[in-house]
Amino acid sequence: MPDSLKPSNRRSRWAAFGPGLLFAGAAIGVSHLVQSTRGGAEFGMSAALVVVVSCLIKWPAFRFGPLYASATGNSLLDGYRRQGRGTLVIFGLVTLAVCFTTLAAVTVVTAGLLLNLLPGLKTWVGSLGLPGEGGLDVIWVSGGLLGLVGLGLLTGGYRLLERVMKVVMPVLALCTVVSAGLAISRIAPESWTAMPPVEESSARSLLAAIIGWMPAPIDIAVWSSLWTLAKVRSTGRRSSVRSVVLDFDAGYLSTLVLAVGFVILGASVMHGSGIEFSNQAPEFGRQIVDLYAAQLGEWTRPMIAVAAFLAMLSTTVTVADGFPRATAALVASFFGPVRPTRETRVDGMIPRIMQEVIDRSLTSEPDGENEPAPGAGSESERGSEGGILAYWISFLGIAAGAIWILVKVVPADFKRLIDLVTITSFLVAPVLVLFNHLCVTGREMPISLRPNVVWRAWSWVCFAATLGLALVYVTLLLVD
């Protein structure tokens, strides 16, 4: 039997996947289930061009997160620290601007899908006599979900995230691809347009919202770098840079394919039909499941409802973990010293030319082969991720803020909440794109592991595109 087909090799390659799947889990949530589907319903198949171009342009900015972490042994936030504490302040302000609304948005969509999956849950919540007027059942369910997510993270941590994603993602991907394949032949000819309309302000706002989170907000690149470090610490083994990047690329491409699939579902059933998505989360969840059932048959409704809920639950878990993890690491990076990279930790012991040879050998390491990580669990590795106390204080604070926003906003219109946070991410994207580029081209990156000229040029295109689109949107907003 060839080595590549041996069961042990297949298991090791599957085990190597983790942070890339977590990225996909964080991305395939609101941006896909909600915004991509809304784009297809509103703009037809022209929305597919928007999501594909957005995903391709942003690829380097996201890819640089796990690349930097695997090459240096530090998170992107440590790279930001090398650019000056002002860079960390900017990232902190960006995080503060979106953390509460983002967690609120993904949680309420998850709660809506759960209420659709279990119709009796609404009646049971109402029978408890909880305070609040009608319509707050989704808020109480959202609060309960956040409590369960916190308990799961407390007991399972990174390994829980990874295990959930390795079950949920294949199921949702299969259902989406099959549904889209059946639906594409039913798309009306008038839905096949090249460019979405941009004449109306509402259409431009929806486009900005789709691009802002397509496939995800740029700050998730920081989370990916932290998840890469967490995997090293939890497993005690460090994967090669090549396998880490392969893991990410696989997750990233899956988000692109599934985004197009959701556009197809929205375009095939709702574009030009006069039907609009509901402003209420439970009803919106029912409409999402209806899109699948209309293509696959009513018999698939329970399976689709479970898969959609689990997909959004995984997004809620990753978002609930990502923001506190980034906040804890931000505090550690801001108040701590500049952390040495793996290369500088051995300066004085190994001559520079020998270190370059070692770096080059790591880049040619076969996929799936791991090496022991002597520093795993050490203070340097843990310090880059931040302290556990800071993590849980951040979790409680962000969860409380999300619940407050849900109480104030969601009963009126949860889609307005989603558009607010996605447009905010759209406007701040160029800043984070630039920060990530500077990290992977900085002096701390081993020369042999820095992005090649294609990825560097691609990154500058990403910066120019996100900056240009943000400026155009703001200009048109001011003119209107």
Side-chain angles (χ1 to χ4, degrees), residues 83-428:
Q83 300 170 32
R85 284 191 170 92
T87 305
L88 291 175
V89 171
I90 293 174
F91 178 81
L93 292 175
V94 169
T95 299
L96 185 64
V98 300
C99 64
F100 306 111
T101 48
T102 299
L103 184 57
V106 299
T107 304
V108 74
V109 175
T110 307
L113 288 167
L114 180 59
L115 288 169
N116 175 74
L117 177 64
L118 303 174
L121 181 60
K122 181 176 182 179
T123 304
W124 180 76
V125 171
S127 68
L128 296 178
L130 299 172
E133 300 177 357
L136 286 183
D137 51 320
V138 69
I139 310 302
W140 287 109
V141 173
S142 297
L145 282 174
L146 283 179
L148 292 175
V149 166
L151 181 61
L153 292 174
L154 180 64
T155 57
Y158 175 84
R159 288 185 178 274
L160 171 68
L161 292 172
E162 188 175 86
R163 288 167 181 167
V164 168
M165 292 313 305
K166 286 183 176 180
V167 173
V168 170
M169 286 304 302
V171 174
L172 181 69
L174 178 62
C175 292
T176 303
V177 170
V178 172
S179 298
L182 294 172
I184 195 168
S185 62
R186 305 182 187 181
I187 298 176
E190 57 270 19
S191 297
W192 291 92
T193 55
M195 295 296 295
V198 293
E199 295 82 10
E200 297 182 4
S201 176
S202 59
R204 292 195 296 270
S205 294
L206 179 55
L207 283 174
I210 294 172
I211 295 171
W213 266 21
M214 188 53 58
I218 298 293
D219 47 312
I220 288 186
V222 171
W223 304 4
S224 294
S225 69
L226 291 167
W227 286 327
T228 300
L229 298 178
K231 183 176 180 65
V232 173
R233 181 168 51 81
S234 65
T235 62
R237 302 187 68 83
R238 185 168 61 241
S239 300
S240 68
V241 174
R242 182 181 177 185
S243 64
V244 169
V245 172
L246 173 64
D247 167 43
F248 174 80
D249 287 344
Y252 195 86
L253 289 173
S254 70
T255 66
L256 190 158
V257 172
L258 293 181
V260 175
F262 282 110
V263 169
I264 292 173
L265 290 174
S268 65
V269 177
M270 303 190 74
H271 182 61
S273 67
I275 302 174
E276 295 185 358
F277 280 112
S278 172
N279 292 331
Q280 302 300 316
E283 178 62 17
F284 185 92
R286 184 191 64 77
Q287 290 175 309
I288 291 292
V289 175
D290 286 345
L291 292 178
Y292 282 94
Q295 308 304 325
L296 301 178
E298 283 298 318
W299 67 272
T300 64
R301 183 178 291 274
M303 178 183 68
I304 298 301
V306 171
F309 166 70
L310 290 177
M312 277 307 308
L313 179 61
S314 68
T315 298
T316 302
V317 172
T318 52
V319 170
D321 173 79
F323 278 121
R325 192 179 291 272
T327 303
L330 176 65
V331 172
S333 297
F334 187 87
F335 291 103
V338 175
R339 300 188 186 282
T341 62
R342 290 196 183 104
E343 184 179 66
T344 56
R345 286 169 198 160
V346 297
D347 269 354
M349 298 174 58
I350 301 178
R352 172 72 63 173
I353 189 170
M354 291 181 62
Q355 186 62 37
E356 288 295 327
V357 173
I358 295 172
D359 290 335
R360 293 178 191 278
S361 69
L362 288 176
T363 62
S364 60
E365 205 174 29
D367 293 341
E369 289 189 7
N370 300 322
E371 61 174 358
S378 68
E379 289 302 315
S380 61
E381 294 285 354
R382 292 178 180 273
S384 188
E385 297 178 66
I388 192 68
L389 180 60
Y391 174 94
W392 284 110
I393 292 176
S394 300
F395 176 89
L396 293 175
I398 294 171
I403 293 296
W404 184 86
I405 289 175
L406 289 175
V407 172
K408 294 295 183 181
V409 176
V410 169
D413 186 355
F414 94 99
K415 287 194 299 185
R416 180 160 55 94
L417 170 67
I418 292 174
D419 288 346
L420 172 64
V421 66
T422 51
I423 291 174
T424 301
S425 296
F426 169 76
L427 294 176
V428 303

